[in-house]
Amino acid sequence: MRRPLAAAALLFVAAVRMITLLRPLPVPEPDREDGQWAVYTGTVSDIVSYTDTQSGNPVRLVYLEDAASETGSASQNTNFNSSFQIICRLTESSYLPGIGSRIRCEGEVSHFREATNPGEFNAKEYYNRQGIAFELRDAAVTGSSQNDSLYRQTLWRLKTHMGNALEALLSPEDASVMKAMLLGDKKGMDREIKSLYQAAGISHVVAISGLHISILGTGVYNLLSALFDRLQAARQKFPPGKRGRPSSGKVSSGKIPACAVSAFFLLSFLFMTGFSASSMRAGIMFALSLTARLLGRTYDTATALSVAAALLLVENPAWIDDTGFQLSFTAAFAASAAVPAFSDMDNLKDWLLKRKNDGNIRRYQERTSHSLKDRLQNGICSGFRSSFCVSMVTLPLVLSSFYEWNVLSVAVNLAVIPLMSVLLGGCILLAVSGSLILLLGEEWLFLLTPAALPVQAILFLYKILCRIGSAGGLGLFRPGVPQLWQILLFYAGLLLVFLGAKHLPRIGGYAACALLCLLFVTGKPSGTQVTMLDIGQGDCIHIRSQNGRHYLCDSGSTSKLQAGTWQVIPFLKH
């Protein structure tokens, strides 16, 4: 059997999917009523601090694991990952503990909001998948041990120092984007920019993913491997005590120390950025690539992708329902399998010539040209194919989560993705060098002003492209949430297109995918429908008439803030 490890991993993933559908996973339930004052003790597992871009107030979140109430057990569902986790939202005057310390914290219990309307974001499900039961608001640390984790606390201080450097060098809006992109601080990202990126279909740029691992992990490995090889070569050529007498023999490889240091560097980066689904997927795949190099084996992307999915589900089976997990693995699969299949399609001229001669001729090709114009044209076409294929493979997931897709995102990503390497490289330069210069004094940061200009220019270009791509909603495809039969039929049709890639012209492949998208606008319910939305203290009635007209009555709320943003608009999209 080819790829037996990949087959075994995929069987495990399928088994987890079936089991979780038949028997839902247990979720942590709060042991206190909403709004009740309580005291908890637990171990600090992470600290997230940022500045709210709307109010300008600092926010400090302390994540506690193995938390317990002083008056009893804090966990009624102890089977969930063998831990009971909570989030403590500290007040400005509260003491900030260190990661790894055992603390006593008191505050007001706040339950996560459950979705009560179609399309509404379900905060309870989102946090429960991470094992978090509730939030402790207006919290204050009243006691703390001194046994901090030196390693984790050092990484947190480094992350904070790099974030401060970015804030000093860039505008608050640009700094929030760069901190999300490099350090994983998505909570502090400017909400307007976040909505703009999502509307234009480029929100993936702020996710810690394979690009970060490629630049950081692979870059460190290549640098260290070359350095260790040179040191080993010098040691072999001039052994100690025999200077000037070259020795013969095979030069020792620097792969082992290079792999060890690279793996440690990558693990530290994942700890620092928060272990998101996309970052863990890329990290596991990078670790498997290092293992393949050490063993002298060929790295197989399909096997690495399957093993990464299985390992993440072993750690937490609830990942199977996480949107970030699904999009990350689906996009990686599309890039490794769907894009090459689509690239095998002939252009229309070649396809017609093959059909005319029954395929028994040499492939028709124009005279090869290496001019800048041709290279640019080939690069644009290749980028468009990649962006289109990834968009098609992830489309059902995007519609299931966001209920809309920006068709123009395929074109917008043509400019966004090639600049990502430059942007991320510039961001790393600013964060690292800025952190070092801050040790000398903030007045010396002007030395990095020229280096910040390319980062600011690219972010400004992103903003312009997003505004063009989302202007007036011209490119928005809003069929609503797809049904299961539509998703299965779409993927079946997409599989046939890719399997028959060698027998289709490329324009035919584009047309077939476009026709498959029409599946999502079919099968909509007909007739008059009346829906009463839950917006708290207030009325909201939506009426869809038999002829397809929509009417919205009232929708004002006195108990829920931004009801239009969080309840009404998601329902209309849904």
Side-chain angles (χ1 to χ4, degrees):
M1 177 189 291
R2 295 186 60 185
R3 299 189 176 99
L5 186 57
L10 288 177
L11 284 176
F12 176 78
V13 172
V16 171
R17 174 73 283 178
M18 292 300 299
I19 292 173
T20 53
L21 287 176
L22 296 175
R23 187 177 181 181
L25 296 169
V27 296
E29 293 293 341
D31 64 338
R32 294 291 184 271
E33 297 294 330
D34 191 31
Q36 183 178 352
W37 194 264
V39 180
Y40 287 88
T41 59
T43 304
V44 179
S45 60
D46 197 10
I47 299 174
V48 176
S49 59
Y50 62 94
T51 301
D52 188 276
T53 54
Q54 288 190 332
S55 64
N57 298 326
V59 178
R60 298 183 300 170
L61 304 177
V62 174
Y63 289 73
L64 291 188
E65 61 183 7
D66 300 324
S69 171
E70 285 202 344
T71 58
S73 173
S75 176
Q76 294 178 347
N77 286 334
T78 56
N79 292 329
F80 191 90
N81 288 338
S82 301
S83 65
F84 184 79
Q85 304 178 57
I86 63 174
I87 301 176
C88 301
R89 186 178 292 266
L90 301 184
T91 59
E92 291 187 32
S93 58
S94 174
Y95 166 74
L96 185 65
I99 298 178
S101 61
R102 187 80 178 172
I103 69 169
R104 178 181 183 270
C105 194
E106 60 180 29
E108 181 185 342
V109 175
S110 176
H111 294 182
F112 296 119
R113 180 181 295 177
E114 295 186 63
T116 56
N117 300 294
E120 184 179 354
F121 174 68
N122 196 322
K124 178 177 174 57
E125 286 187 359
Y126 174 78
Y127 285 103
N128 284 171
R129 282 196 292 266
Q130 303 173 48
I132 301 173
F134 60 90
E135 184 178 279
L136 209 61
R137 294 193 174 180
D138 297 326
V141 177
T142 57
S144 174
S145 67
Q146 299 300 320
N147 55 339
D148 302 352
S149 170
L150 179 61
Y151 170 63
R152 293 291 310 280
Q153 191 65 15
T154 301
L155 290 177
W156 181 82
R157 288 173 179 162
L158 177 62
K159 176 181 178 179
T160 303
H161 208 56
M162 294 172 70
N164 293 337
L166 291 174
E167 289 178 349
L169 289 166
L170 302 172
S171 66
E173 182 182 279
D174 290 347
S176 70
V177 176
M178 288 292 91
K179 288 171 67 178
M181 186 179 298
L182 179 63
L183 305 176
D185 283 343
K186 292 184 181 181
K187 289 184 179 294
M189 186 175 174
D190 185 86
R191 294 182 184 179
E192 181 182 352
I193 294 297
K194 189 175 182 179
S195 300
L196 189 63
Y197 280 16
Q198 184 174 325
I202 67 165
S203 57
H204 59 86
V205 302
V206 296
I208 307 295
S209 59
L211 179 62
H212 299 73
I213 305 305
S214 176
I215 292 178
L216 296 173
T218 307
V220 170
Y221 170 80
N222 290 336
L223 179 64
L224 293 177
S225 182
L227 177 61
F228 286 129
D229 281 344
R230 285 180 178 272
L231 291 176
Q232 293 286 353
R235 191 171 299 174
Q236 288 279 345
K237 189 174 182 180
F238 300 104
K242 298 181 180 180
R243 299 293 179 183
R245 294 178 58 187
S247 63
S248 60
K250 186 177 180 180
V251 177
S252 300
S253 172
K255 286 184 178 180
I256 295 179
C259 286
V261 175
S262 300
F264 176 77
F265 180 83
L266 177 61
L267 182 63
S268 301
F269 177 73
L270 293 178
F271 268 119
M272 191 168 64
T273 55
F275 284 99
S276 65
S278 58
S279 65
M280 286 192 288
R281 188 266 308 163
I284 293 173
M285 294 180 70
F286 177 72
L288 292 174
S289 71
L290 292 182
T291 305
R293 294 182 187 187
L294 285 176
L295 299 178
R297 304 290 295 270
T298 302
Y299 174 73
D300 182 65
T301 304
T303 300
L305 199 60
S306 305
V307 171
L311 290 177
L312 285 182
L313 293 179
V314 168
E315 187 270 334
N316 182 10
W319 280 120
I320 196 74
D321 292 315
D322 184 75
T323 301
F325 174 91
Q326 296 170 357
L327 287 174
S328 177
F329 279 92
T330 307
F333 169 78
S336 61
V339 174
F342 211 86
S343 300
D344 286 339
M345 294 181 180
D346 294 311
N347 59 49
L348 186 59
K349 184 183 293 186
D350 291 354
W351 185 79
L352 290 174
L353 196 60
K354 278 188 173 184
R355 295 275 294 181
K356 182 179 180 181
N357 295 275
D358 296 326
N360 295 321
I361 63 167
R362 186 171 57 185
R363 177 182 171 91
Y364 174 82
Q365 290 183 334
E366 297 285 353
R367 179 178 296 178
T368 303
S369 175
H370 299 285
S371 65
L372 178 62
K373 177 182 177 181
D374 290 330
R375 290 202 301 268
L376 181 62
Q377 182 179 355
N378 291 335
I380 292 175
C381 292
S382 176
F384 183 84
R385 285 197 300 272
S386 300
S387 180
F388 181 82
C389 288
V390 173
S391 297
M392 286 296 100
V393 176
T394 58
L395 179 58
L397 299 177
V398 172
L399 294 180
S400 298
S401 301
F402 307 107
Y403 321 123
E404 63 182 9
W405 172 57
N406 194 334
V407 179
L408 299 180
S409 64
V410 178
V412 173
N413 277 292
L414 281 178
V416 169
I417 294 178
L419 292 174
M420 272 295 297
S421 298
V422 180
L423 180 61
L424 189 57
C427 181
I428 294 172
L429 174 65
L430 291 179
V432 175
S433 56
S435 299
L436 296 176
I437 291 179
L438 276 179
L439 298 176
L440 303 176
E442 192 171 345
E443 63 273 9
W444 293 98
L445 284 176
F446 74 92
L447 296 174
L448 291 178
T449 302
L453 292 178
V455 172
Q456 294 170 330
I458 293 175
L459 289 177
F460 179 75
L461 177 61
Y462 280 8
K463 189 188 299 185
I464 296 299
L465 290 173
C466 288
R467 294 194 185 280
I468 295 174
S470 59
L474 295 177
L476 288 180
F477 177 58
R478 285 177 173 168
V481 62
Q483 300 179 43
L484 180 59
W485 69 267
Q486 292 173 314
I487 295 176
L488 295 177
L489 199 56
F490 177 84
Y491 276 132
L494 208 59
L495 180 62
L496 291 177
V497 171
F498 291 135
L499 290 178
K502 294 184 179 181
H503 306 287
L504 286 174
R506 192 166 295 142
I507 187 66
Y510 288 129
C513 291
L515 290 175
L516 286 174
C517 292
L518 298 180
L519 282 171
F520 297 114
V521 299
T522 61
K524 298 300 178 182
S526 59
T528 302
Q529 184 182 56
V530 179
T531 305
M532 301 184 68
L533 300 183
D534 176 18
I535 59 171
Q537 186 65 35
D539 294 329
C540 182
I541 302 174
H542 173 264
I543 303 173
R544 189 195 64 217
S545 65
Q546 193 168 3
N547 58 3
R549 292 181 178 272
H550 295 259
Y551 303 92
L552 190 65
C553 305
D554 202 341
S555 75
S557 176
T558 58
S559 61
K560 289 186 177 181
L561 298 176
Q562 298 180 323
T565 301
W566 301 112
Q567 280 86 35
V568 179
I569 294 179
F571 166 75
L572 296 176
K573 291 181 179 180
H574 182 275

